[in-house]
Amino acid sequence: QVQLVESGGGLVQAGGSLRLSCAASGRTFSSYAMGWFRQAPGKERVFVAALSWSGGNTYYADSVKGRFTISRDNAKNTVYLQMNSLKPEDTAVYYCAARSGIVVVITSMYDNWGQGTQVTVSS
């Protein structure tokens, strides 16, 4: 098991940027695939981005490709989501998630979740 704590959310104007961080506890962080997901009010939680334990393989939802970048620093037990050119439709609670094994983009296959951080993009 790994404990996850997100930070970095907030209110930003359309076109702006935010960087989310997810701090993980546990000595085996480097063995986990990590993902970011988001949930807008009244909607299901959906995949945003994910990367492998090494960071060598990354995956993005089409809606964020070219605007968001996922990365990790295994020495700091932290994964990041750099969000640029934000749009009002990016408004959601963003969740960090971890799973042991290969990286996947399916929400239900992640079994460690943070509490979420709110991102609000104003038009």
Side-chain angles (χ1 to χ4, degrees):
Q1 291 292 328
V2 60
Q3 307 299 318
L4 304 171
V5 179
E6 303 96 334
S7 61
L11 173 64
V12 63
Q13 289 188 332
S17 298
L18 282 175
R19 188 176 81 155
L20 306 184
S21 299
C22 174
S25 65
R27 293 175 292 177
T28 58
F29 171 76
S30 61
S31 67
Y32 283 83
M34 302 295 297
W36 285 98
F37 298 78
R38 67 187 182 188
Q39 187 167 17
K43 296 188 176 182
E44 294 185 348
R45 192 173 301 185
V46 297
F47 167 75
V48 174
L51 81 170
S52 59
W53 67 270
S54 68
N57 295 307
T58 57
Y59 302 89
Y60 297 94
D62 288 343
S63 59
V64 307
K65 202 170 294 183
R67 300 187 297 123
F68 290 11
T69 302
I70 188 172
S71 61
R72 68 190 297 162
D73 185 338
N74 286 340
K76 295 183 178 180
N77 280 13
T78 302
V79 63
Y80 305 98
L81 185 68
Q82 178 66 45
M83 307 186 294
N84 299 329
S85 302
L86 283 161
K87 305 175 181 180
E89 50 264 43
D90 294 319
T91 295
V93 177
Y94 283 71
Y95 296 90
C96 173
R99 71 181 305 272
S100 59
I102 63 172
V103 58
V104 298
V105 303
I106 302 171
T107 308
S108 61
M109 296 186 72
Y110 285 80
D111 48 13
N112 298 277
W113 292 87
Q115 83 290 349
T117 185
Q118 176 70 47
V119 171
T120 303
V121 184
S122 63
S123 57

